[in-house]
Amino acid sequence: MDNIVELSQLASVKERFSMAGKKAIVTGAAGGIGRSTAAALADLGADVALVDIRTDLAAEYAEHISKKYGVQAFAASCDVTKEEDVDALIETVVQKFGTIDVVHSNAGAIGAGYDDGDIDFASWKRLMAINLDGMFLVNQKVCQYLRKEKKGGAIVNTASISGHVINRTEGRHSVCYPAAKAGVLHLTKGMAADFCKYGIRINSVSPGNMVSGIHAGIPEEAMDGMAGDCVMKRLGNMNEIGGAVAFLLSDLATYITGADLLVDGGYCIW
Ligand SMILES: NC(=O)c1ccc[n+]([C@@H]2O[C@H](COP(=O)([O-])OP(=O)(O)OC[C@H]3O[C@@H](n4cnc5c(N)ncnc54)[C@H](O)[C@@H]3O)[C@@H](O)[C@H]2O)c1
């Protein structure tokens, strides 16, 4: 594939986007973004492990995805903040699928209502554990597995606009979530640089405000305010994220590593 200068030698974009035969893991797959990505990867032909602490819900989505796309899909219970859970997850997926090719490390949580400068230390540690420790554990364990197997692979981490800027808001500003998500951006770059020599690519996506489930309990007026905060003046929806993740995980992105793709309706332009 090197030194292609003739149009006739260019590979098919459709074929390079295909996930046929690939084995995928998606964490936070009972949530909106995770299950959308799981569906996107399955639509492109991948077998998918849907990972969450809400296992019943993940199992429901796995069944739906398997039927709809004709791939293998199963739910795995794993708390990404626990090292033993992540070790067990890798083992389970390898046992069921034979290997791992692509991973969307996506589990996360916000601390709406208490994540400001007065956040108590226990809540800080909980949010950091879910949003940053868990991301590190999944990245490290997957990379170590891929290195041991001497095969390449790709990971996409879910960061956030909050990793780039502090969200505009009328009230107090979150401090822990943005700190954790900024950490995810740099974790992505560090791991990408460190594991590149093993044929592993690691990138991130940074969603803006998208209707996914994470904002459950936030009043409608506040959601309208969030919609108005971006250039597109609307919230994102679940048809607008899975494809971006799939692209970065696919062979269309073989020259992309350590990058972040904003999917934010232009939020970070301002
Ligand atoms: N929706 C948005 O507007 C938005 C914006 C920016 C970033 N994000 C990020 O996108 C990711 C997905 O969020 P979503 O919007 O789909 O929210 P969601 O709440 O619908 O999904 C998050 C999922 O993560 C799971 N989870 C939480 N802690 C876990 C743990 N310790 N182990 C395993 N699973 C765990 C939850 O059970 C849930 O199913 C998160 O990382 C979030 O921070 C979302």
Side-chain angles (χ1 to χ4, degrees):
M1 290 291 292
D2 288 340
N3 303 320
I4 297 168
V5 287
E6 296 296 333
L7 277 179
S8 61
Q9 293 179 300
L10 283 173
S12 156
V13 168
K14 276 191 217 161
E15 279 170 23
R16 287 170 75 77
F17 198 26
S18 170
M19 288 278 164
K22 296 252 165 110
K23 311 299 176 190
I25 296 176
V26 179
T27 73
I33 291 179
R35 68 176 181 270
S36 308
T37 303
L41 296 174
D43 195 2
L44 292 166
D47 295 324
V48 192
L50 287 90
V51 179
D52 210 287
I53 42 176
R54 299 190 290 168
T55 324
D56 288 355
L57 208 48
E60 215 179 282
Y61 297 134
E63 196 184 337
H64 180 93
I65 282 171
S66 178
K67 275 195 192 133
K68 179 165 179 182
Y69 300 107
V71 298
Q72 289 185 64
F74 72 95
S77 179
C78 167
D79 180 339
V80 296
T81 68
K82 295 186 175 149
E83 188 171 9
E84 63 277 18
D85 276 24
V86 180
D87 283 332
L89 172 69
I90 307 276
E91 232 175 80
T92 304
V93 176
V94 171
Q95 197 187 16
K96 292 223 186 220
F97 286 165
T99 192
I100 300 166
D101 297 296
V102 293
V103 176
H104 183 198
S105 179
N106 165 74
I110 55 173
Y114 62 82
D115 181 9
D116 54 35
D118 287 314
I119 186 172
D120 63 89
F121 193 38
S123 301
W124 166 278
K125 284 197 275 195
R126 185 184 143 266
L127 276 187
M128 274 292 172
I130 298 170
N131 290 306
L132 190 53
D133 298 3
M135 206 57 81
F136 165 71
L137 276 176
V138 171
N139 276 249
Q140 189 193 59
K141 301 287 179 185
V142 167
C143 284
Q144 287 173 341
Y145 165 78
L146 294 171
R147 181 177 59 193
K148 177 170 69 74
E149 293 299 308
K150 295 190 169 38
K151 71 194 286 286
I155 300 174
V156 168
N157 295 318
T158 303
S160 172
I161 48 171
S162 307
H164 294 263
V165 296
I166 302 300
N167 296 42
R168 283 176 285 281
T169 165
E170 292 300 316
R172 308 256 339 240
H173 294 85
S174 295
V175 295
C176 183
Y177 184 79
K181 290 299 189 179
V184 172
L185 292 174
H186 247 56
L187 171 76
T188 301
K189 290 179 201 214
M191 295 294 281
D194 204 38
F195 283 92
C196 184
K197 53 183 163 299
Y198 304 108
I200 303 167
R201 294 184 303 103
I202 311 175
N203 293 291
S204 58
V205 287
S206 282
N209 291 310
M210 311 194 85
V211 180
S212 66
I214 206 168
H215 304 107
I218 295 184
E220 209 168 307
E221 314 82 74
M223 293 299 288
D224 289 347
M226 281 155 66
D229 281 342
C230 72
V231 169
M232 287 191 182
K233 300 287 179 195
R234 67 171 177 84
L235 300 168
N237 69 60
M238 291 300 99
N239 280 316
E240 298 179 306
I241 185 74
V245 176
F247 160 70
L248 288 171
L249 290 174
S250 79
D251 287 348
L252 286 178
T254 45
Y255 201 49
I256 304 178
T257 199
D260 181 68
L261 178 54
L262 283 161
V263 184
D264 69 345
Y267 191 103
C268 289
I269 291 175
W270 289 333

